[in-house]
Amino acid sequence: MVNDTSFIAELQNVFLVECEELTDKLERAIIQLEKDPRNFNHIDLIFRFVHTIKGSAAMAGFPNLVAFVHGFENLLATMKAQKPTITSHVVDVLLKGNDTLKLYTEALRDNVYAEIPTQETTAAIQACLASLNPVPITSPKAPDLPKTVANSGIPTFLICDDEEAIIDLIGGYLKETGYNIVTATNVRDALKVFHTHPINGIFTDYMMPGLTGTDFVAAIRAKNEFVPIVVVSGHTEREQFKDYLKLGVLTFLEKPFSFSDISNAAHQMLRHSDLQTALFGIARISFKLTVSIERLLTFATLSSLGLQEKERLFGIMDDLRAATTNLRNAELNKN
């Protein structure tokens, strides 16, 4: 369902699982570099792991983590270019950077809005970088993430109307079709219900005391861009239609309505939700595929994979990254 665990939440979960595995591999690669400091293939491998974490963190929507990893990546890029002598101090800085990544991942698992102090590690990275070739470290920004509500359950519809008779009528039709319902007689209560129940679709009246149906739809859209909404009204004017359409209302039902009107509207909302779920499912697979390609390219640098094959994989990876980022931004969009 659309306001079940959101696309962003699932994207972040995939990233955190992948990041935990990548930091373990990164640590082993750093240890191998310490044992064999003249083999710069290890630096290539370390750089690829860090680059993968940075790109994936950006797609998953962790801007503060991206800012930290950006500095780590700059250090490794300079090391790749200059091939400096690998001292124990350099290894210590790399391990410190990886330890910070692990701590950040653990913190984000508990709270996706978590931040941990990275100043000490960043300072160590910058000092190490300055000793090689000073490169300014920038802090890329990304939009704040909306808080999501994780719900689960069978198809459930929220009905918001100040007339109990209308709630009973719509609710009766939906129950007869086999769906669950939750109800509210005003906008404030409806918003509370929405954030505490698994909702597949919303039926709302337009004219209600206090906050109107437009207020309700606007408040829902401020938190959830995709849940399908049907407006029920006996007197909706042209300008009101336009306002609702701007807010992404799926359709309108005029009173009086029949059983088939409600049943068809519910079916339309579920179909809309299924399409959104399928789209985001494909995007999640694309995200996993992007990470897999990143890994393949990591090891491809040490294999006989030809330049043309590598370039083709890089192109696919860029396309997948762009598509996933666009979908993440779509969920963030509050227009």
Side-chain angles (χ1 to χ4, degrees):
M1 68 192 58
V2 178
N3 76 315
D4 196 352
T5 304
S6 73
F7 169 60
I8 288 177
E10 293 208 29
L11 194 67
Q12 290 171 341
N13 183 62
V14 170
F15 164 73
L16 292 173
V17 172
E18 296 290 346
C19 190
E20 184 176 352
E21 184 176 342
L22 285 170
T23 52
D24 286 341
K25 292 183 176 181
L26 177 57
E27 183 175 24
R28 290 196 291 270
I30 295 171
I31 292 172
Q32 287 300 314
L33 176 64
E34 183 178 28
K35 294 178 179 178
D36 188 11
R38 295 184 180 181
N39 186 346
F40 288 97
N41 284 331
H42 296 310
I43 295 179
D44 290 338
L45 187 61
I46 294 167
F47 173 83
R48 179 57 60 185
F49 283 140
V50 173
H51 179 74
T52 298
I53 292 171
K54 189 185 86 166
S56 300
M59 282 191 289
F62 292 123
N64 294 324
L65 180 57
V66 171
F68 168 72
V69 181
H70 184 67
F72 200 176
E73 184 185 44
N74 276 343
L75 172 60
L76 291 163
T78 301
M79 291 174 65
K80 280 185 62 177
Q82 295 193 1
K83 294 181 171 54
T85 301
I86 304 301
T87 64
S88 59
H89 173 69
V90 171
V91 171
D92 287 344
V93 171
L94 297 180
L95 289 172
K96 188 178 185 68
N98 190 55
D99 287 343
T100 301
L101 283 175
K102 287 187 174 184
L103 290 173
Y104 222 135
T105 302
E106 292 173 4
L108 291 171
R109 275 188 173 280
D110 293 332
N111 178 7
V112 293
Y113 303 99
E115 296 182 30
I116 69 168
T118 60
Q119 295 89 339
E120 182 181 345
T121 305
T122 296
I125 290 172
Q126 287 178 320
C128 187
L129 180 60
S131 69
L132 302 174
N133 183 26
V135 177
I137 297 179
T138 59
S139 299
K141 299 296 181 182
D144 292 334
L145 299 177
K147 290 181 171 58
T148 59
V149 181
N151 293 314
S152 61
I154 64 174
T156 300
F157 292 90
L158 166 60
I159 308 169
C160 179
D161 199 300
D162 62 313
E163 297 183 39
E164 293 281 0
I166 298 297
I167 290 178
D168 291 341
L169 183 59
I170 297 175
Y173 286 159
L174 291 172
K175 288 179 180 179
E176 190 172 336
T177 310
Y179 302 127
N180 286 339
I181 66 165
V182 287
T183 67
T185 56
N186 60 73
V187 171
R188 287 188 175 84
D189 286 346
L191 288 171
K192 292 177 183 177
V193 170
F194 179 76
H195 291 300
T196 55
H197 289 75
I199 304 299
N200 293 84
I202 298 172
F203 290 89
T204 181
D205 189 18
Y206 169 68
M207 295 296 295
M208 290 181 284
L211 298 175
T212 66
T214 307
D215 297 322
F216 178 43
V217 174
I220 291 292
R221 286 291 175 252
K223 294 294 183 182
N224 188 300
E225 188 72 14
F226 303 109
V227 63
I229 301 173
V230 169
V231 173
V232 180
S233 180
H235 39 71
T236 307
E237 298 177 358
R238 181 180 179 84
E239 289 303 313
Q240 295 166 356
F241 274 113
K242 291 168 64 176
D243 289 341
Y244 278 118
L245 289 173
K246 290 178 182 177
L247 291 168
V249 166
L250 188 61
T251 190
F252 300 86
L253 287 181
E254 292 191 40
K255 300 175 184 176
F257 42 77
S258 66
F259 171 85
S260 62
D261 292 332
I262 298 300
S263 178
N264 290 337
H267 177 75
Q268 189 176 357
M269 283 194 273
L270 290 177
R271 184 172 181 273
H272 179 85
S273 296
D274 287 344
L275 288 172
Q276 291 286 355
T277 299
L279 178 62
F280 291 139
I282 292 170
R284 286 190 290 273
I285 294 171
S286 296
F287 179 73
K288 293 178 181 179
L289 184 57
T290 303
V291 175
S292 296
I293 292 175
E294 288 273 12
R295 289 179 177 176
L296 178 59
L297 290 172
T298 296
F299 296 103
T301 59
L302 307 178
S303 71
S304 58
L305 189 63
L307 178 61
Q308 186 176 1
E309 287 79 6
K310 290 181 186 178
E311 289 179 347
R312 185 181 296 114
L313 286 174
F314 274 122
I316 294 171
M317 182 180 65
D318 288 341
D319 289 342
L320 290 173
R321 183 181 293 114
T324 305
T325 301
N326 286 339
L327 280 170
R328 183 179 64 82
N329 289 341
E331 187 169 347
L332 288 170
N333 184 19
K334 301 282 195 303
N335 292 337

